[in-house]
Structures are given as structure tokens and as C-alpha cells.
Amino acid sequence: MEKKFIDLSPNYFKEGYSCSESIAKAAVELGLADDSFVSIATSFSGGMSSRCLCGAVAGSQMVLGLLHGKNKDNTARNLAKEFYERFTSIHKVTCCKVLSAGFKDFHSPERKNHCTNMVADCAKILDSMLAEIKEKV
């Protein structure tokens, strides 16, 4: 069976990678990027340290840009919008602060579990979108 983001990203998050790094690390393991992609994703963790944009959403957007941005097929912006719409149809917002508002301690196990679910949802959406793109080709 072919591995997917959903098979990898939540586990990387549980192992200590940040939300954005977990998506990026899966992209590396899936052969879509080199190891430097994880380092690039680090600064997008925790809403770029402002807790504004969910890092898992940011990491997913980075993957879409990597695969479909300039000098590729240049559909990245359309895919970014589609990803945003799919995520917000589930969670209503992409703001880390809002998504984790019920957790007073950002480092609590409960918040970590909640964010594992955000990473998993992003991974599922990314897998679905990439499969749909592959079917069109």
C-alpha cells in the first residue's frame, strides 16, 4: 500500500515535530522534497510563532506550492484556495489561536491531542487533493 500524508504526519507530530514540520517531514518521506523542507517549515510552527495561521495548514500550503507553484503547472493559488475551503468547511477558521482557544496551556497534552487532529485533518485534505490531481492527469 502506498503511504500517504495521513499515514505519516500525525505520527511525526506525536514524535515531537511541530505541526508544520510534521506535514513537511511527510513530504520528505514521500519523496516530494529534500530534508531542507523540514527546516523551512519550522518557522511556520505555532502560527509562525504568533499563533495566527495554523502551522499544519501552512505546511500543507507549502506542499501545494512546492508541487504546483511557479515553474510547475502554476495552479498553486487555486489549490491553496481549495485547501482553505475544505479546511474551513470542517473547522470554520485557520487561525491557530482560535482553533486552540479552549486550551489555556499551549503545551498541555490536551492541546497536543487537539493539534494532532488538526494535523490529521490537513493530511487527509492534502491526500485527497493530491489524489484528485493525479486522477486528472
Side-chain angles (χ1 to χ4, degrees):
M1 183 172 104
E2 180 183 340
K3 284 195 176 190
K4 298 180 179 190
F5 281 91
I6 189 59
D7 301 320
L8 304 169
S9 296
N11 293 328
Y12 289 133
F13 188 72
K14 289 176 187 174
E15 290 173 10
Y17 286 88
S18 73
C19 43
S20 56
E21 291 168 344
S22 299
I23 298 291
K25 179 74 173 162
V28 171
E29 185 162 329
L30 294 170
L32 303 174
D34 65 41
D35 287 332
S36 67
F37 196 53
V38 178
S39 295
I40 293 166
T42 299
S43 62
F44 292 89
S45 304
M48 296 172 279
S49 295
S50 70
R51 294 190 52 223
C52 191
L53 174 64
C54 170
V57 171
S60 299
Q61 296 287 8
M62 291 170 59
V63 169
L64 293 171
L66 178 70
L67 298 176
H68 299 283
K70 290 214 181 295
N71 303 321
K72 305 280 172 128
D73 60 16
N74 209 25
T75 61
R77 287 180 188 238
N78 292 332
L79 293 171
K81 182 180 181 200
E82 177 68 21
F83 185 94
Y84 171 84
E85 289 171 352
R86 290 185 190 198
F87 186 86
T88 56
S89 75
I90 301 166
H91 297 288
K92 309 296 180 231
V93 297
T94 58
C95 176
C96 176
K97 229 180 263 188
V98 175
L99 290 167
S100 58
F103 304 96
K104 289 184 180 187
D105 179 4
F106 191 73
H107 300 288
S108 71
E110 295 82 14
R111 199 263 332 147
K112 179 88 171 177
N113 186 54
H114 173 74
C115 289
T116 300
N117 292 332
M118 296 296 114
V119 170
D121 286 345
C122 286
K124 287 176 196 171
I125 294 167
L126 199 50
D127 284 334
S128 176
M129 290 180 68
L130 294 177
E132 291 166 13
I133 291 165
K134 196 173 187 178
E135 286 177 7
K136 290 179 184 176
V137 177

